[in-house]
Amino acid sequence: MKFFLAYILLLSTMAQPRQGIEGFLSEARGNQMGIQNHASNKGQPLKTKLYLFKKLGIEDLIGLDGQWCKSVQQKPVKIIETDNKGYFKCHLSAGNYVVLVGAYDGYFIPSFNHYNQPSNIVISPRQWQRVDILVNSKAIY
């Protein structure tokens, strides 16, 4: 019986992905002039939710204004909560994901690619992808 339980436990740990996403989410607000080269330009930790999508195009972003949109036409495949220090970590299957930050009754898009589409984050097998996000749309540089 003990052998059977150990075998089941071993199988369940092998089935879990050994890769994913981890990083920190922070926000810079107000006047940032003169501090670009200092540690303080990393902003303050932001406790909120990250929304992960498999495929997301600019046509899916409703009310797009700069790096913000009011809503998204798709449902996220995963929602991650950051802790009080802005830290997040989540196991994911290998593949491409788009990450949006939920804040201020909308979504912040961290980056766009050269086709003006939300940037993908690639999760490779057996590797953790480090992603640090700075919400800086309320900062002045």
Side-chain angles (χ1 to χ4, degrees):
M1 183 67 166
K2 288 181 185 179
F3 176 74
F4 180 71
L5 290 175
Y7 181 72
I8 295 295
L9 181 63
L10 179 65
L11 284 179
S12 68
T13 58
M14 289 174 59
Q16 293 178 351
R18 300 277 184 204
Q19 66 272 338
I21 184 174
E22 74 172 322
F24 285 92
L25 175 64
S26 56
E27 180 181 31
R29 301 178 100 197
N31 187 353
Q32 302 293 309
M33 291 186 167
I35 61 171
Q36 284 89 358
N37 296 327
H38 294 86
S40 60
N41 74 335
K42 295 191 187 331
Q44 298 298 313
L46 185 59
K47 182 173 175 39
T48 188
K49 294 180 181 176
L50 300 177
Y51 297 84
L52 280 71
F53 300 86
K54 272 296 199 178
K55 284 190 174 186
L56 194 66
I58 203 158
E59 64 278 355
D60 297 313
L61 306 174
I62 300 170
L64 182 63
D65 183 16
Q67 286 186 267
W68 289 92
C69 70
K70 294 185 188 277
S71 63
V72 180
Q73 286 186 348
Q74 294 187 30
K75 291 191 181 227
V77 294
K78 193 82 156 180
I79 299 173
I80 307 169
E81 285 195 49
T82 62
D83 67 11
N84 290 336
K85 295 179 182 173
Y87 178 75
F88 58 90
K89 184 172 184 174
C90 180
H91 291 275
L92 294 169
S93 299
N96 295 334
Y97 296 87
V98 175
V99 177
L100 301 184
V101 178
Y104 305 111
D105 297 325
Y107 299 90
F108 177 76
I109 301 103
S111 64
F112 292 88
N113 65 20
H114 59 283
Y115 297 111
N116 203 29
Q117 298 291 326
S119 296
N120 284 328
I121 295 170
V122 179
I123 305 299
S124 300
R126 296 177 304 282
Q127 293 192 7
W128 286 93
Q129 180 65 42
R130 177 67 184 228
V131 178
D132 293 327
I133 300 170
L134 177 65
V135 178
N136 61 356
S137 62
K138 295 188 181 274
I140 300 168
Y141 294 98

